[in-house]
Amino acid sequence: MESRKIGLLIALVGMLGATPDAMLLRLENDEGAPSSTILIWRYLLVGAIQFAIASSMSGVRGLLRASTLAPKCNFAAALLVTASNLGFVFSLLWVVPHRTYRRTHTHTHT
C-alpha cells in the first residue's frame, strides 16, 4: 500500500477515535464530573492499554531495557505528549462550542 494511502487511513482512524472521545468528555463534564476525575480515569486507562500493548510486543524486560537507551529523549517526548493531551482535554472541557463558532464565523460587511 502506498505511504499516502496509509497516512490517510491513519488520519481517518484517528479522527474516528477522537470524535467519540470528545463527545464522552463533554458528557462526563455535563454530568458534573470534575476535570481532575476525568483526567485521572482517562489517562490511567490509556496508560494501561499502551503498557499492555508495548509489553506484549517486546516483553516487560525488553520494554524497560529499551526505555533506558535514551532517557532524556523519552522524557521529553512524554512531556510533549502529556502537554498535547492535556490541551486536548481542557480545550473540550473549557470551551463552549456554540459561542466559539459564532465568534469565529461572524463576518462584518463593509
Side-chain angles (χ1 to χ4, degrees):
M1 187 181 275
E2 293 179 34
S3 62
R4 178 167 171 76
K5 289 182 182 178
I6 292 172
L8 288 173
L9 181 65
I10 290 171
L12 175 67
V13 170
M15 284 305 300
L16 291 175
T19 302
D21 184 37
M23 182 184 66
L24 290 172
L25 284 171
R26 287 204 180 271
L27 180 64
E28 288 174 332
N29 193 33
D30 290 345
E31 292 293 322
S35 300
S36 58
T37 303
I38 293 170
L39 286 173
I40 288 170
W41 284 109
R42 184 174 191 266
Y43 292 115
L44 278 176
L45 180 62
V46 168
I49 290 171
Q50 288 177 344
F51 181 77
I53 291 170
S55 62
S56 71
M57 292 174 66
S58 61
V60 176
R61 287 185 184 172
L63 180 64
L64 292 174
R65 192 174 324 114
S67 65
T68 60
L69 294 177
K72 290 179 183 176
C73 291
N74 289 337
F75 185 71
L79 285 178
L80 289 173
V81 169
T82 300
S84 172
N85 287 333
L86 288 174
F88 174 75
V89 170
F90 286 126
S91 71
L92 289 172
L93 296 178
W94 292 346
V95 172
V96 181
H98 67 276
R99 289 184 185 163
T100 305
Y101 181 79
R102 263 190 291 168
R103 287 184 189 149
T104 59
H105 288 84
T106 49
H107 301 285
T108 56
H109 299 289
T110 53

